[in-house]
């Protein structure tokens, strides 16, 4: 940062302190503390927010590559800890020893039909003109897939589009045999672990996944890619994990504490979550070189690349690749940084905010835009406290490690603290990549929908001060699109899918092409992601405001009627899928109807308590009634979980939200029913359709349990 900026920020800070002093003395004059909503408005005001501070945090966090288990990432943890501590937040590091993999060696060569000579690829991402990180570029890990299988594969190349199940169905129809070949797939539609898994299922012996300009490019003229435009450079490679599980693979279901039990490598293999064929991520330029060696049928139009790409053909061959990868597994120490602001009235109720810190490379977008927002948010909370604010419930700030490998830091922590969390957490609010451009998007468990809408109506759109974040989120439609948390995309997974905590996740931006490449650095953020860092500030505002309302409001701002309409929608979709198969959905529809009644009932109970209180707060007397009602609102989400979990995937306890079996990014409703339908469609036996019916019953029972919890009466 330039020193003139520092001066400006100091002046700005002075004005803010003055303002705070005025606010504080004004409240003294009134002889009673201002209402909580006063502080919430103050929290999102320009008096407290600080874009320069957010930028400084991001710059510091992304000075070096900091993959999980590295010394640089331990240093970043120490930095986060120091900021929490400087904000008077009681903070500590929760460490785990977890199994991570790092690349030892890898190579890729291509034998082409004559006259083209064989090629050995360098597999290097090139530094760019003026790259300020050239001095630490050699600290970026060689391009690889986390948890990839070590081994060699030599085979003819088959192009498989995005590597989805339906792409293989198409190849089969075209009469193409993938067996014994090395597949060339492109990124962009499904989780890379599933690309490798689907390739294995189709009989391939290795997988190469390239970044296609069609999906990650777009510039024209001289400014075709970073640093001239936001797009992925030709040598850019998207690295990432190919692990299909959640948490440390050697401690399934329990925490990786010191000296803990671990399963053997053979047992890890048996789980089926680790790929069984070697794979490598490659650049657009290498992908195209390989593509030029592939002949055979011309691929369909929607399988082709952009206008400058060669013609994509299916193969097999005649190009033959030789892929070799060797990785090493180590038990690495990871650090979650946990900061706690204890609540004054209900210290045993937690509102948890989480973001991961580990990055495949520099991590300016993924994830440290979120970390910068978290730290700026922490600073604002400290300013609020200086102004007299105290939270009713406890606020916990979590900075996770090893998310990139498989949501490991958050999962181990949730597994270790499972019962405490299951009985005390009001909500979990996740932000991974906070900012990669303009435009807000959010996902949540549905009882939080209303709260998200209200909070975004209070925060100014960082790209258009004449409207709110809500206005830009809604756009021209009537209500915003709220995603759901069925995917395995980030650290909310253990909270929602394992223990049933109401959760939300949000970000600003619409995809970013340099994702998981060496070019996800501070320069990219400054030029394209958020030049003024006002989007970081808005992210912290929405995140913090939602947290403050959950932490401070007497009644938890949950609305289960949104859940009802969401479940109704999903159940109606289901109807078409099982029509004519003798499946009855009556128990499910009945259970959802009961839930609607319970949601309305608890709402009127709440109103009755408020009315009986009159205009003078008699909190003490009403305390136990309010608290009992809040407990029902909090625990209702837990009732969507089932002890046994999904069939064959017992870690996933939530019967409404879990990843789909063939795409970890997918967000299905009723994953157990969906899996059973898929199986029944394959087998088409009476027994397999009975399993579908059983899964419908299971979901119906879970939904009924939710009603019972909301009603709060024994049967
Ligand atoms: Zn991330």
């Amino acid at each position: 940062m330039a020193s003139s900026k520092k001066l400006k920020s100091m002046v700005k800070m002075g004005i803010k302190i003055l303002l705070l002093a005025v606010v504080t003395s004004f409240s003294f004059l009134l002889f009673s503390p201002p209402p909580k909503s006063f502080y919430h408005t103050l929290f999102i005001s320009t008096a407290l927010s600080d874009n320069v501070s957010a930028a400084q945090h991001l710059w510091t966090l992304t000075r070096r590559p900091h993959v999980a288990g590295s010394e640089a990432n331990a240093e970043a943890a120490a930095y986060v800890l120091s900021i929490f501590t400087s904000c008077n937040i009681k903070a500590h590091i929760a460490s785990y020893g977890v199994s991570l993999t790092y690349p030892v060696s890898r190579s890729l060569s291509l034998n082409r039909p004559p006259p083209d000579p064989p090629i050995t690829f360098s597999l290097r991402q090139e530094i760019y003109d003026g790259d300020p990180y050239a001095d630490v570029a050699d600290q970026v890990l060689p391009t690889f897939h986390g948890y990839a299988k070590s081994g060699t594969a030599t085979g003819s190349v088959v192009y498989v589009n995005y590597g989805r199940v339906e792409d293989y169905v198409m190849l089969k129809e075209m009469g193409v045999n993938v067996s014994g070949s090395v597949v060339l797939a492109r990124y962009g539609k499904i989780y890379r672990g599933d690309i490798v898994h689907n390739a294995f299922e189709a009989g391939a012996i290795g997988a190469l996944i390239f970044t296609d300009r069609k999906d990650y490019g777009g510039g024209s003229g001289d400014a075709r890619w970073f640093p001239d435009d936001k797009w992925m450079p030709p040598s850019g490679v998207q690295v990432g994990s190919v692990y299909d599980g959640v948490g440390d693979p050697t401690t399934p279901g329990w925490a990786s504490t010191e000296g803990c039990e671990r399963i053997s490598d053979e047992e890890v293999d048996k789980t089926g979550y680790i790929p069984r064929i070697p794979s490598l991520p490659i650049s657009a330029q290498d992908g195209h070189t390989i593509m030029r060696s592939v002949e055979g049928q011309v691929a369909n139009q929607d399988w082709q690349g952009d206008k400058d790409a060669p013609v994509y053909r299916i193969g097999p061959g005649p190009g033959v690749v030789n892929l070799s990868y060797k990785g090493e597994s180590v038990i690495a120490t990871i650090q979650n940084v946990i900061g706690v602001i204890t609540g004054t009235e209900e210290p045993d109720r937690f509102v948890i905010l989480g973001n991961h810190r580990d990055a495949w490379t520099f991590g300016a977008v993924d994830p440290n835009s979120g970390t910068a927002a978290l730290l700026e948010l922490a600073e604002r909370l400290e300013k609020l406290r200086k102004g007299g604010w105290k939270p009713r419930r406890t606020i916990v700030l979590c900075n996770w490690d090893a998310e990139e490998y498989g949501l490991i830091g958050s999962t181990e922590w949730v597994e270790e603290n499972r019962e405490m969390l299951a009985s005390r957490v009001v909500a979990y609010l996740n932000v991974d990549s906070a900012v990669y451009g303009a435009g807000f998007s959010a996902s949540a468990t549905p009882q939080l929908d209303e709260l998200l809408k209200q909070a975004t109506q209070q925060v100014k759109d960082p790209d258009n001060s004449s409207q709110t974040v809500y206005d830009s989120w809604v756009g021209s439609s009537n209500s915003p699109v709220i995603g759901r948390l069925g995917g395995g995309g980030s650290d909310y997974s253990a909270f929602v899918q394992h223990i049933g905590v109401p959760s939300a996740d949000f970000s600003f931006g619409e995809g970013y092409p340099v994702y998981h490449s060496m070019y996800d650095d501070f320069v990219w953020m400054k030029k394209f992601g958020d030049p003024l860092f006002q989007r970081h500030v808005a992210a912290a505002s929405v995140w913090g405001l939602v947290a403050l309302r959950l932490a401070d409001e007497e009644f938890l701002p949950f609305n289960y009627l949104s859940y009802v309409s969401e479940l109704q929608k999903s159940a109606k979709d289901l109807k078409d899928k099982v029509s004519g198969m003798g499946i009855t959905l009556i128990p499910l529809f009945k259970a959802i109807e009961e839930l609607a009644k319970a949601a309305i009932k608890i709402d009127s109970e709440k109103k009755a308590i408020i009315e009986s209180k009159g205009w003078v707060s008699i909190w003490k007397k009403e305390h136990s009634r309010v608290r009992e009602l809040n407990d029902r609102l909090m625990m209702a989400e837990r009732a969507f979980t089932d002890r046994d979990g999904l069939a064959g995937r017992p870690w996933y306890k939530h019967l409404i939200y879990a990843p789909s079996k063939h795409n970890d990014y997918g967000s299905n409703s009723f994953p157990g029913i969906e899996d059973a339908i898929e199986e029944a469609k394959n087998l088409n036996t009476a027994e397999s359709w009975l399993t579908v019916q059983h899964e419908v019953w299971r979901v119906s029972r879970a939904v009924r349990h939710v009603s019972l919890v909301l009603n709060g009466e024994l049967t």
Side-chain angles (χ1 to χ4, degrees):
M1 293 294 102
S3 58
S4 70
K5 271 191 184 161
K6 249 185 194 162
L7 197 76
K8 262 188 214 162
S9 88
M10 278 170 73
V11 171
K12 228 172 130 188
M13 183 61 105
I15 296 169
K16 284 172 193 172
I17 290 168
L18 209 79
L19 251 164
L20 263 181
V22 171
V23 163
T24 322
S25 35
F26 192 66
S27 67
F28 270 121
L29 277 178
L30 290 172
F31 290 106
S32 74
K36 289 283 166 70
S37 58
F38 167 84
Y39 289 109
H40 299 176
T41 309
L42 187 62
F43 177 83
I44 56 172
S45 71
T46 49
L48 258 60
S49 64
D50 189 345
N51 60 334
V52 175
S53 176
Q56 273 167 343
H57 290 314
L58 188 67
W59 186 85
T60 309
L61 286 161
T62 58
R63 184 64 194 91
R64 291 165 65 192
H66 49 286
V67 75
S70 67
E71 186 207 315
N73 202 34
E75 272 174 30
Y79 177 73
V80 171
L81 185 75
S82 74
I83 300 298
F84 282 174
T85 308
S86 74
C87 293
N88 286 311
I89 294 169
K90 205 169 62 195
H92 68 277
I93 287 181
S95 288
Y96 298 97
V98 302
S99 175
L100 304 181
T101 73
Y102 301 104
V104 174
S105 65
R106 78 251 198 276
S107 68
L108 180 66
S109 59
L110 171 69
N111 273 309
R112 300 181 288 184
D116 296 330
I119 293 183
T120 299
F121 296 98
S122 76
L123 305 176
R124 262 179 177 279
Q125 302 184 81
E126 282 154 24
I127 56 170
Y128 54 91
D129 276 349
D131 187 345
Y133 301 107
D135 62 328
V136 288
D138 62 348
Q139 291 174 26
V140 174
L141 283 184
T143 52
F144 81 119
H145 280 147
Y147 299 111
K149 180 168 178 70
S150 291
T152 301
T154 306
S156 309
V157 179
V158 175
Y159 170 53
V160 297
N161 198 19
Y162 295 107
R164 299 166 296 189
V165 172
E166 60 260 43
D167 294 324
Y168 287 98
V169 171
M170 172 76 100
L171 286 168
K172 211 171 171 187
E173 280 168 13
M174 294 168 79
V176 178
N177 185 5
V178 179
S179 186
S181 66
V182 173
V183 302
L184 177 62
R186 52 183 179 181
Y187 277 118
K189 297 289 184 213
I190 61 170
Y191 174 60
R192 68 186 82 68
D194 293 315
I195 297 179
V196 179
H197 181 80
N198 294 343
F200 167 77
E201 293 277 313
I205 57 168
L208 298 168
I209 313 179
F210 78 106
T211 294
D212 198 354
R213 265 211 311 267
K214 184 185 175 190
D215 301 294
Y216 298 88
S220 58
D222 287 339
R224 299 194 58 191
W225 49 70
F226 185 67
D228 302 315
D229 203 338
K230 65 177 181 176
W231 309 104
M232 182 78 117
S235 74
V237 176
Q238 180 196 126
V239 303
S241 180
V242 286
Y243 172 49
D244 260 336
V246 181
D248 182 349
T250 67
T251 63
W254 63 89
S256 300
T257 51
E258 213 187 323
C260 72
E261 178 192 5
R262 286 178 197 279
I263 63 172
S264 66
D265 289 351
E266 294 74 48
E267 283 170 296
V268 170
D269 281 344
K270 269 190 238 155
T271 62
Y273 291 143
I274 303 279
R276 279 162 283 191
I277 53 172
S279 65
L280 275 181
I282 59 173
S283 66
Q285 128 197 315
D286 293 352
H288 282 173
T289 301
I290 295 170
M291 200 68 91
R292 286 191 192 93
S293 78
V294 177
E295 292 172 8
Q297 304 177 59
V298 173
N300 276 350
Q301 194 48 44
D302 57 339
W303 286 41
Q304 294 295 331
D306 73 353
K307 60 176 173 36
D308 299 323
V311 174
Y312 292 180
R313 294 169 182 272
I314 302 292
V320 170
V321 290
N322 183 302
L323 170 177
S324 125
Y325 172 76
K326 187 167 182 278
E328 59 167 352
S329 291
V330 293
I331 300 296
T333 304
I334 61 164
Q335 296 93 10
N336 293 333
V337 187
I338 313 288
V340 181
I341 304 173
T342 306
T344 49
E345 280 152 274
E346 298 186 76
D348 60 345
R349 288 294 173 266
F350 307 149
V351 175
I352 302 184
L353 290 76
N355 147 267
H356 75 96
R357 181 187 66 258
D358 65 300
W360 284 120
T361 66
F362 297 96
V365 173
D366 183 7
N368 300 124
S369 58
T371 320
L374 182 69
L375 298 182
E376 200 265 331
L377 185 159
E379 287 164 347
R380 281 196 237 177
L381 292 182
E382 171 57 5
K383 292 173 198 164
L384 271 196
R385 284 202 284 182
K386 284 201 173 121
W389 166 81
K390 290 179 187 127
R392 175 192 296 279
R393 302 184 182 90
T394 294
I395 294 176
V396 185
L397 307 179
C398 299
N399 182 230
W400 310 119
D401 202 344
E403 187 271 355
E404 295 292 2
Y405 276 88
L407 319 179
I408 293 178
S410 58
T411 300
E412 299 309 312
W413 192 76
V414 168
E415 287 173 348
E416 184 171 29
N417 297 288
R418 191 183 63 213
E419 299 310 323
M420 279 277 278
L421 298 174
S423 58
R424 297 182 172 195
V425 181
V426 162
Y428 173 69
L429 307 171
N430 192 66
V431 171
D432 188 321
S433 305
V435 179
Y436 36 93
F440 181 77
S441 46
S443 301
T445 49
Q447 75 276 64
L448 293 175
D449 287 4
E450 268 317 300
L451 176 61
L452 280 177
K453 289 180 196 169
Q454 290 167 11
T456 50
Q457 278 163 5
Q458 282 183 259
V459 177
K460 271 212 179 95
D461 177 2
D463 290 282
N464 178 355
S465 59
S466 68
Q467 61 176 22
T468 64
V469 168
Y470 180 83
D471 296 328
S472 74
W473 184 22
V474 171
S476 52
S477 44
N478 292 329
S479 78
V481 177
I482 302 180
R484 297 302 167 206
L485 298 171
S490 194
D491 291 305
Y492 52 77
S493 178
F495 288 92
V496 183
Q497 298 157 8
H498 191 54
I499 60 170
V501 168
S503 300
D505 179 78
F506 42 79
S507 59
F508 281 89
E510 291 167 21
Y512 76 109
V514 297
Y515 170 66
H516 284 188
S517 78
M518 192 175 95
Y519 310 105
D520 180 5
D521 65 14
F522 189 81
V523 176
W524 190 93
M525 179 62 81
K526 194 86 183 71
K527 279 186 140 171
F528 308 110
D530 193 10
L532 301 171
F533 284 82
Q534 85 277 26
R535 294 172 190 148
H536 280 76
V537 164
S541 291
V542 174
W543 199 4
L545 183 60
V546 171
L548 284 171
R549 290 198 48 193
L550 286 161
D552 282 342
E553 285 184 11
E554 187 176 0
F555 289 97
L556 292 177
F558 288 174
N559 183 347
Y560 277 88
L561 278 173
S562 317
Y563 230 127
V564 171
S565 49
E566 197 62 24
L567 289 171
Q568 271 165 346
K569 238 189 281 168
S570 305
K572 275 179 197 144
D573 291 346
L574 205 58
K575 220 172 165 179
D576 301 332
K577 291 183 190 159
V578 297
S579 77
M581 302 318 296
I583 304 291
T584 172
L585 296 178
I586 291 172
L588 181 58
F589 280 107
K590 228 179 113 194
I592 297 171
E593 248 168 64
E594 271 179 56
L595 181 61
K597 280 183 205 148
I600 293 166
K601 185 169 164 274
I602 197 163
D603 223 44
S604 48
E605 277 183 67
K606 183 163 85 182
K607 282 182 190 127
I609 298 177
I610 294 168
E611 275 162 23
S612 73
K613 276 163 64 169
W615 64 276
V616 181
S617 174
I618 43 168
W619 161 255
K620 287 248 150 57
K621 194 176 151 201
E622 297 297 340
H623 177 86
S624 65
R625 273 180 78 193
V626 174
R627 173 131 168 145
E628 189 274 337
L629 188 142
N630 280 337
D631 278 357
R632 284 187 266 147
L633 288 168
M634 172 179 80
M635 295 307 285
E637 180 73 36
R638 312 293 193 269
F640 283 118
T641 62
D642 181 279
R643 259 164 227 276
D644 299 329
L646 296 178
R649 300 187 288 160
W651 187 86
Y652 292 102
K653 307 287 186 202
H654 206 288
L655 297 191
I656 314 298
Y657 296 118
S660 91
K661 248 185 186 169
H662 292 283
N663 177 16
D664 193 60
Y665 287 164
S667 171
N668 268 353
S669 288
F670 310 141
I673 304 177
E674 297 272 354
D675 285 350
I677 291 174
E678 197 171 314
E679 180 96 347
K681 280 189 172 155
N682 282 337
L683 300 174
N684 208 15
T685 58
E687 206 188 334
S688 63
W689 284 104
L690 276 177
T691 308
V692 175
Q693 185 66 66
H694 171 66
E695 291 294 335
V696 171
W697 277 113
R698 286 182 78 198
V699 173
S700 314
R701 286 193 288 272
V703 175
R704 180 159 182 267
H705 278 145
V706 178
S707 310
L708 292 175
V709 173
L710 283 179
N711 285 333
E713 281 161 21
L714 294 173
T715 58

